Amino acid sequence: MLMNNTSKLIVGNWKMNTTLPEGSLLLSRIIKELTNFTYPELVICPPSTHLYAFSKELEKSKGPLNIELGAQNISEHEEGPYTGEISATMLHNIAKYVIVGHSERRKFFNESDAVDGKKLQTAIRHRLTPILCVGEDQQERSDGHAKQKVLDQLNTDLAHVTSQEIKDVIVAYEPVWSIGTGNFAKPAQVEEMVWLIHNNLIEQFGKMAGSKVRVLYGGSVDGENARNYLNIKGVDGLLVGGASLNYKQFAKIVRASA
Ligand code: 13P
C-alpha cells in the first residue's frame, strides 16, 4: 500500500471501444465534466490508435486535472517481424502506463504468465509504468483456489523484477467473474485479496519496496459503488472498464476518489 500518499489512482480501460472521433469526444467530455477539478493522476487507456492524437490534445489542456495515457498492451519484443504488435519504443512520449496481463489477453490471446513476465520487464526497461492484472475466474473461486491462483500469477509474473524496480509497478486485482458482469465483489472479498497481494509483494521484495506498490481494484466498478471500494483499506485506486466509457459515470468515480 502506498503509505506516504493517500491520493487514489483511477485508471479507465476503454478496451476495444470507440473510433478516434468518438474517443476524442469522450475525452473532451471527461475533461469538461471535471473542469476546475484538481486531481493528481488520472489515467486513460484508450485503443492504441488514439494515443498519439490524445497525447497532443492533452498537452494543450494541461491543468489541475492531470490526465496521463496508458496503453492496453505491449509486445514483449523490442522490434522486428511481429505483425500487428506494438513495441514499448513506439509508446515513448505518448503513454506513461501500460496494462499487462489483463484477463482478456490471458483468455482470448493465450497470454501465459511467462509472456506477461517478459512484457512487464520490457515495460520497466522502457520506463513505462506497468499495471499488472491478476485475478481468479469463477471456477477457481468456487473450487477454493482463488488465493493460490493470484499468488501463482504474482510469483511468476514478477519473478525477474528487482526490489528497485517493483516500486514502479502497479498491481490490479480483477476477479474475472466480476469483469463486465455486474457481479459485484463483496468488500470483504476484495479486502482479503488485496492484502494477500500486499503481503506477497512484501514477502517477495521486502517491506521497504513491497509496501510502496499500489494495488488497484477492478471489476464492475461504477459511479455508485466506487466509494465503497475506495474505502477498503489496502485499495489504492480503481481500474475501471465499462463505466469509463460513460463520461458522467467516470467523472463520478473520479470525484468519489478525491
Ligand atoms: P468492468 O469495469 O467493465 O467490469 O471491467 C473491468 C476491467 O476489466 C478493467 O480493466
Side-chain angles (χ1 to χ4, degrees):
M1 182 172 54
L2 197 67
M3 306 290 187
N4 54 356
N5 182 349
T6 51
S7 74
K8 307 281 187 175
L9 181 70
I10 305 296
V11 182
N13 174 11
W14 289 7
K15 308 189 181 181
M16 198 176 74
N17 292 293
T18 74
T19 61
L20 181 55
E22 288 165 351
S24 297
L25 181 64
L26 177 57
L27 179 66
S28 64
R29 282 178 165 162
I30 290 169
I31 293 170
K32 188 149 176 252
E33 192 71 17
L34 293 166
T35 307
N36 297 328
F37 192 77
T38 303
Y39 203 76
E41 213 161 59
L42 182 61
V43 182
I44 290 179
C45 303
S48 52
T49 46
H50 301 16
L51 283 170
Y52 182 73
F54 279 22
S55 69
K56 293 292 157 203
E57 197 51 48
L58 290 171
E59 261 172 34
K60 282 191 265 161
S61 63
K62 275 266 180 272
L65 176 74
N66 182 31
I67 301 184
E68 299 288 351
L69 294 173
Q72 297 175 13
N73 180 34
I74 49 165
S75 170
E76 67 273 32
H77 304 291
E78 289 292 328
E79 62 177 346
Y82 302 102
T83 302
E85 291 291 274
I86 292 172
S87 75
T89 311
M90 293 170 191
L91 296 172
H92 279 184
N93 300 321
I94 57 172
K96 189 171 161 187
Y97 294 81
V98 61
I99 298 172
V100 173
H102 192 281
S103 59
E104 287 150 13
R105 296 226 45 98
R106 294 177 188 264
K107 181 174 172 194
F108 300 120
F109 303 96
N110 298 320
E111 268 185 28
S112 64
D113 283 314
V115 166
D116 287 335
K118 284 186 188 158
K119 289 185 181 217
L120 205 84
Q121 292 283 296
T122 307
I124 292 170
R125 231 180 6 256
H126 287 271
R127 298 187 189 286
L128 288 161
T129 300
I131 302 170
L132 172 68
C133 298
V134 295
E136 79 288 357
D137 64 23
Q138 184 58 65
Q139 193 62 48
E140 288 155 345
R141 177 152 286 263
S142 309
D143 292 348
H145 296 151
K147 289 185 181 172
Q148 198 51 53
K149 173 61 184 271
V150 167
L151 290 176
D152 287 347
Q153 289 177 324
L154 291 169
N155 291 335
T156 314
D157 294 358
L158 298 171
H160 303 289
V161 174
T162 67
S163 43
Q164 195 52 38
E165 293 165 339
I166 192 67
K167 290 177 262 183
D168 299 317
V169 174
I170 293 169
V171 177
Y173 170 58
E174 293 207 309
V176 180
W177 47 272
S178 181
I179 293 178
T181 58
N183 190 0
F184 305 113
K186 293 190 184 78
Q189 293 173 316
V190 175
E191 184 165 359
E192 181 178 43
M193 296 304 277
V194 296
W195 281 104
L196 180 84
I197 294 169
H198 281 302
N199 290 332
N200 173 274
L201 293 165
I202 289 170
E203 222 170 83
Q204 285 200 66
F205 301 98
K207 198 166 179 1
M208 274 277 282
S211 62
K212 288 204 172 70
V213 180
R214 284 180 283 185
V215 178
L216 314 182
Y217 173 69
S220 294
V221 173
D222 59 28
E224 303 307 313
N225 62 26
R227 201 181 294 276
N228 287 344
Y229 287 125
L230 286 164
N231 282 340
I232 298 169
K233 196 164 173 280
V235 171
D236 301 311
L238 301 170
L239 178 53
V240 186
S244 70
L245 293 165
N246 176 319
Y247 69 98
K248 284 201 183 289
Q249 280 282 321
F250 192 57
K252 204 168 168 190
I253 293 169
V254 174
R255 284 202 203 90
S257 67

